[in-house]
Amino acid sequence: MKKNSLLIVMGGLVWAQTTPQALSLKDCIRYALQHSPTVQNSYLDYQLARQKIAEVRAAGLPQLTGNASLRYFIEIPTSLVPGEFFGAPRGTFIPVRFGVPYNLELSVTGTQLLFDGTYFVGLQAARAVKELTYRSYQRSRTETVAAVTKAYYTALVSQERLRLLSENLKQLELVRDQTRGLYENGFVEKLDLDRVEVSLNNLRTEQTRAAELAGLAYLTLKLQMGMPLETPISLTDTLAPEELLTLLPDTLTPSEFDPTRRWEYQILLQQRRALELNLRRYQVSYLPSLVAVGNLATQAQRKEFDFFDTRKRWFPIAFVGAQLQVPIFDGLRRASQISQARLELQKNQNDLFQLRQSLTLEAENARRQLLNAVRAVQIQRRNLTLAEEVLRTAQRKNQLGAGSNLELLQAQTSYEQAQTHYTTALLEAYLAYVDWQKALGTLPTE
């Protein structure tokens, strides 16, 4: 493939590509897997799931909390003391104020989860979500590789189409010059020259349109890669239709099709695992939970705000204990949640069956589309060879004066049409081949 610079006219913008970056298909795929926003976001989702596991795991580790409490009593609390303590009649109470205005308490409270069934199931569920996001990440990679590969082949075919049109244009310009010379010498009519001019103008219009389509193909490729659209690139790979023509029907049998190779199927299987853990989480929520608790504190009481006076005493407080929570009755809320989880599992089973059927049909359809596309390439290639031979014959006859100018133009037009049909069939075959690999789950993602 020529590494010449392209002048792309698209949307009123003209980008002169003087130093294009040469890229092979593998280079484009590698770049896309590193820079595509879709792939990057899928990878970030995977990293978020990994952090979610750490978050869930943290609930089972010791929890420490520091507290500081400072209170100033504008009015010291009053307590009622039985009057007989102070010689008053029995049954009477005397209001007495205990304490000092300033109270400061510093404490550290620690808890440790000893047993909670939902914690362990939740940790497993977090791991299942991580695996689910990993499969989604791999699926986004596959989708990106397929999109980039198709865009690359589209750009190659568009570039090949533009090259063929340029050659045809040069050839037709030569015919125009020869016809003009014959006209000036009185050997042909003005009508013959006008016919050539009309064909030449039509071909120039087609070339301009093909150049715009080629520019659009390059922009589409860079968009799929996640590359800035203003970056100039050139393609180093070449079209190899011979490889496609070797794909015979016996090499495209779907007998070895395995839906588990498809990331879509693996995602649904992992969703089933997550649903099973969700059901189990509701079931173990009937079990009690046990938490160990410990507290260490020190307290100071002062008449004045002099807590930093080391000569005055602080009073320690410490305790350890455990908290047991036993679910007794929740209004049948958990029973309803368990029923919902089981129904979700049934839906997932139905989805798995439907997806397996759909993927099998997709693989069979991709096989047939590829076979038809390969046959179309073979036919159009033969047609192109025949049209080229007809054009050569018409050119020789015209040079010898045995053929008409109209016959030459018709042969030229037929040759151009054969080229168009061939390049179109070639592109459809490449795209069908990508779809076939994707349907089988064998599309390379590296």
Side-chain angles (χ1 to χ4, degrees), residues 61-286:
L61 300 177
Q63 310 290 313
L64 295 177
T65 305
N67 295 287
S69 175
L70 172 64
R71 291 180 294 178
Y72 169 69
F73 292 99
I74 299 176
E75 293 288 342
I76 298 176
T78 301
S79 299
L80 297 179
V81 178
E84 59 264 30
F85 289 170
F86 299 97
R90 180 182 295 274
T92 61
F93 293 90
I94 299 176
V96 179
R97 291 186 175 183
F98 294 100
V100 292
Y102 293 94
N103 286 266
L104 177 62
E105 180 178 329
L106 304 177
S107 66
V108 176
T109 302
T111 60
Q112 173 60 58
L113 181 66
L114 300 179
F115 177 79
D116 188 345
T118 59
Y119 166 74
F120 298 106
V121 177
L123 192 58
Q124 290 179 313
R127 293 193 182 100
V129 172
K130 185 198 75 169
E131 292 300 321
L132 179 62
T133 55
Y134 175 76
R135 284 159 175 75
S136 298
Y137 165 60
Q138 292 296 336
R139 180 188 178 185
S140 69
R141 287 170 61 91
T142 301
E143 296 288 345
T144 299
V145 169
V148 170
T149 304
K150 287 184 176 183
Y152 194 93
Y153 285 141
T154 301
L156 278 181
V157 173
S158 299
Q159 188 168 289
E160 177 66 10
R161 173 63 179 155
L162 187 59
R163 184 188 67 82
L164 293 175
L165 285 172
S166 298
E167 292 181 356
N168 291 335
L169 188 61
K170 292 179 181 178
Q171 189 173 3
L172 196 57
E173 286 175 344
L174 180 60
V175 173
R176 187 268 316 273
D177 294 340
Q178 293 174 348
T179 304
R180 179 180 289 124
L182 293 173
Y183 167 71
E184 290 175 351
N185 290 291
F187 291 102
V188 296
E189 298 179 357
K190 181 67 166 53
L191 179 62
D192 295 324
L193 179 60
D194 291 341
R195 285 182 182 142
V196 177
E197 289 288 355
V198 170
S199 298
L200 190 60
N201 291 334
N202 290 337
L203 191 57
R204 284 170 179 164
T205 301
E206 183 66 20
Q207 184 190 40
T208 301
R209 190 172 73 90
E212 292 177 351
L213 292 176
L216 181 61
Y218 272 75
L219 292 177
T220 303
L221 174 60
K222 288 185 279 188
L223 177 66
Q224 298 293 348
M225 292 169 56
M227 174 179 284
L229 298 182
E230 63 274 11
T231 303
I233 64 173
S234 65
L235 310 184
T236 61
D237 287 3
T238 57
L239 296 172
E242 294 78 10
E243 297 178 1
L244 291 175
L245 298 179
T246 60
L247 296 175
L248 301 177
D250 57 350
T251 66
L252 297 175
T253 59
S255 58
E256 298 181 358
F257 172 68
D258 182 5
T260 59
R261 292 179 181 176
R262 294 288 298 270
W263 289 111
E264 296 90 335
Y265 197 81
Q266 294 187 33
I267 288 173
L268 209 55
L269 286 175
Q270 194 60 32
Q271 286 178 350
R272 180 172 183 81
R273 173 59 178 164
L275 290 173
E276 290 172 346
L277 290 173
N278 191 46
L279 172 61
R280 188 177 173 188
R281 178 171 66 91
Y282 290 136
Q283 291 172 335
V284 301
S285 64
Y286 283 107

Side-chain angles (χ1 to χ4, degrees), residues 26-66:
K26 290 184 178 180
D27 294 333
C28 292
I29 291 175
R30 191 179 302 113
Y31 185 97
L33 293 179
Q34 294 176 356
H35 298 86
S36 170
T38 301
V39 176
Q40 289 180 338
N41 286 340
S42 297
Y43 182 73
L44 291 176
D45 288 337
Y46 173 62
Q47 295 297 326
L48 286 171
R50 294 183 61 184
Q51 294 302 318
K52 186 65 177 180
I53 295 177
E55 177 187 349
V56 175
R57 185 187 298 115
L61 300 177
Q63 310 290 313
L64 295 177
T65 305

